[in-house]
Amino acid sequence: MHEWALAEAVITAASEIAEKEGLKEVTVLKIKVGELQQIELDILEFALSQLKPDKFKNTKINIKIDKAELRCRVCGHQWIFSKEELDKNSAEAIHFIPEIAHTYIKCPKCGSPDFEVLRGRGVWLESIKGVR
Amino acid sequence: MGDPRISVVNERLKEIRNIIAVSSGKGGVGKSLTASILALALVKKGYNIGLFDLDFTSPSTHIILGIEGVQPREEKGIIPPKVHGLEYMSIVYYTSNYALPLRGEDVSNALIELLSITKWGKLDFLIIDMPPGIGDATLDIIRLIKNIGFLVVTTPSQLAFETVRKLVTLLKELNVRIIGVVENMKMNKSEFIQQQVKSLRVAVLGGISFDAKIEKSIGNTVSLLKTSFAKELEQTLEKLGF
Ligand SMILES: Nc1ncnc2c1ncn2[C@@H]1O[C@H](COP(=O)(O)OP(=O)(O)OP(=O)(O)O)[C@@H](O)[C@H]1O
Ligand SMILES: [Mg+2]
Ligand SMILES: [Zn+2]
């Protein structure tokens, strides 16, 4: 349910940008959601629809899923994260704080926890379109 | 376009009257012990207190306070459990005491995530236990938390104080509020550190003696509050008018 907290962050940030750019109405809001965080899209969408202020009344919210791609800093191996390899508790911890991945995920080649998240970490604001 | 989490950080902290980072340029000087006992002492005075352990790679306050078997609640965010009368938040809820090896950018990201999803209640004080030094966590809280105040811990050692001098100078350059400097692990009556602190034009918050018996009280909050450490820290609070 912390999808609500993230949705609130998205709406707050998007409102700030709309304000800055002098948009009276926001028509399109593009968001990217990384798979590492395993966001429940239904809840995120519902939360966004509940939290959005008037300016966003007719906004088309476009959510794109980004695969989580990891690269080992020790051996250079690159791989795609799949939550099926985690038990429920580890998956949940990563859901709250994606960096916890460094506790529960190891490089499948060399076993190191020293990897980089190339893409697909968390929630990201891609773009906003609207009318001035 | 950007990271939406930053926008909501100050919203999450807006019902907190006072945010205090317990910090030092040096490791092992007693930041975690000071932060923990400070939090307990303020609870004892009747304040609403939160304690936030921001030392992600080496969290300690849960051990000092003997906190085990609790988890935050989820409710449109995460709500820290109340333990020993204080709202307590630490990364250990999620690492279950395994190692969490993090690089700088990861530290930043985890810190921003926690700041943006944690829902503190109405607090008089939020005490933050910082990792040592002026690395990512320190720069991030300065960048992200408006009105944060620093309580700086040193020891009588020149080695500790020289790092504290750098921290204090940085904070001053950035116009960050410095509550004062505590001199921990005092072994004698030397006034060397106090004079040094004064010459930096920062409040001297008094000394805390080295307490060879403190280890026996680790994990027991009742016993911690009876230590000479707690007594001396409480005198410091009087000075601050808390
Ligand atoms: N006044 C004191 N008397 C005796 N022991 C002390 C005193 N203050 C701190 N200690 C002990 O020194 C050690 C370091 O303390 P603490 O963990 O609080 O330091 P820290 O600054 O938080 O360290 P780190 O930089 O690793 O986070 C602990 O074992 C603690 O119990
Ligand atoms: Mg510490
Ligand atoms: Zn590897």
Side-chain angles (χ1 to χ4, degrees):
Chain A
M1 286 291 277
H2 90 304
E3 276 80 359
W4 278 85
L6 296 171
E8 201 184 332
V10 168
I11 294 294
T12 311
S15 303
E16 276 171 19
I17 295 169
E19 182 78 22
K20 222 184 269 166
E21 297 189 355
L23 303 180
K24 279 213 230 42
E25 202 187 315
V26 177
T27 50
V28 187
L29 177 62
K30 285 192 180 168
I31 304 165
K32 214 164 62 180
V33 173
E35 278 199 331
L36 186 57
Q37 196 158 22
Q38 314 148 64
I39 297 286
E40 301 244 15
L41 281 187
D42 294 353
I43 304 179
L44 183 68
E45 277 171 346
F46 179 67
L48 286 168
S49 74
Q50 295 295 300
L51 294 170
K52 63 186 189 186
D54 278 356
K55 226 180 233 186
F56 293 75
K57 219 169 39 211
N58 301 312
T59 308
K60 191 172 172 327
I61 298 181
N62 179 326
I63 302 182
K64 206 179 94 193
I65 307 293
D66 209 7
K67 290 238 170 284
E69 193 169 21
L70 315 179
R71 179 168 65 202
C72 178
R73 282 190 165 107
V74 178
C75 75
H77 180 63
Q78 213 158 306
W79 76 100
I80 300 284
F81 159 81
S82 118
K83 82 170 196 191
E84 281 65 45
E85 285 158 35
L86 293 171
D87 64 56
K88 190 170 152 280
N89 286 341
S90 324
E92 194 177 277
I94 295 171
H95 167 64
F96 284 113
I97 310 165
E99 284 59 47
I100 301 289
H102 294 278
T103 292
Y104 298 114
I105 298 176
K106 307 274 185 280
C107 166
K109 264 226 155 126
C110 76
S112 169
D114 186 11
F115 54 79
E116 195 178 346
V117 181
L118 295 176
R119 58 188 180 98
R121 180 204 171 276
V123 179
W124 197 256
L125 219 59
E126 281 267 279
S127 66
I128 287 186
K129 279 199 197 115
V131 284
R132 259 176 249 263
Chain B
M1 186 149 244
D3 186 343
R5 300 171 299 166
I6 308 274
S7 299
V8 90
V9 168
N10 281 294
E11 175 70 22
R12 296 277 181 258
L13 302 173
K14 73 167 190 242
E15 294 209 284
I16 306 176
R17 274 180 35 213
N18 227 315
I19 303 182
I20 300 179
V22 179
S23 174
S24 177
K26 194 129 193 100
V29 295
K31 295 179 293 296
S32 299
L33 205 55
T34 302
S36 305
I37 297 181
L38 177 64
L40 289 178
L42 289 167
V43 166
K44 197 172 106 182
K45 281 184 169 278
Y47 290 113
N48 289 319
I49 302 299
L51 177 62
F52 194 2
D53 195 323
L54 272 188
D55 194 346
F56 295 152
T57 52
S58 312
S60 310
T61 52
H62 64 295
I63 302 171
I64 296 172
L65 297 174
I67 294 175
E68 240 183 325
V70 287
Q71 282 291 326
R73 209 154 42 84
E74 252 191 279
E75 204 185 295
K76 300 189 172 178
I78 53 180
I79 307 197
K82 207 159 184 179
V83 205
H84 308 308
L86 51 90
E87 293 183 22
Y88 183 73
M89 192 66 205
S90 166
I91 199 107
V92 294
Y93 294 138
Y94 303 103
T95 55
S96 47
N97 278 322
Y98 292 114
L100 177 61
L102 294 183
R103 288 182 183 255
E105 199 195 331
D106 300 324
V107 169
S108 266
N109 254 323
L111 188 151
I112 295 169
E113 196 75 30
L114 274 177
L115 283 175
S116 59
I117 64 175
T118 305
K119 297 195 146 175
W120 300 97
K122 234 188 165 122
L123 298 179
D124 295 306
F125 293 91
L126 176 65
I127 311 294
I128 306 181
D129 183 28
M130 294 299 295
I134 36 185
D136 296 81
T138 304
L139 294 173
D140 274 324
I141 59 163
I142 293 173
R143 171 172 75 108
L144 296 171
I145 306 181
K146 273 187 260 165
N147 302 326
I148 193 158
F150 274 69
L151 184 78
V152 180
V153 183
T154 185
T155 68
S157 164
Q158 293 171 53
L159 301 186
F161 188 74
E162 281 312 312
T163 70
V164 160
R165 186 197 302 282
K166 294 190 179 84
L167 171 63
V168 165
T169 310
L170 177 78
L171 294 174
K172 287 190 143 185
E173 278 168 16
L174 299 175
N175 283 318
V176 180
R177 187 161 58 96
I178 303 173
I179 295 163
V181 177
V182 174
E183 183 185 1
N184 185 27
M185 303 196 202
K186 271 184 86 82
M187 311 269 264
N188 57 40
K189 297 234 162 345
S190 159
E191 289 183 2
F192 173 73
I193 297 289
Q194 291 169 41
Q195 283 155 7
Q196 295 290 311
V197 174
K198 267 186 206 140
S199 72
L200 290 172
R201 295 175 197 283
V202 172
V204 178
L205 295 180
I208 298 173
S209 316
F210 185 85
D211 178 355
K213 294 193 301 261
I214 195 103
E215 190 64 28
K216 286 202 207 110
S217 301
I218 299 292
N220 182 335
T221 54
V222 176
S223 159
L224 276 174
L225 277 172
K226 290 183 187 148
T227 56
S228 63
F229 189 111
K231 297 269 145 51
E232 286 169 319
L233 191 61
E234 279 171 344
Q235 281 164 20
T236 294
L237 295 186
E238 299 296 326
K239 242 185 248 174
L240 287 168
F242 289 170

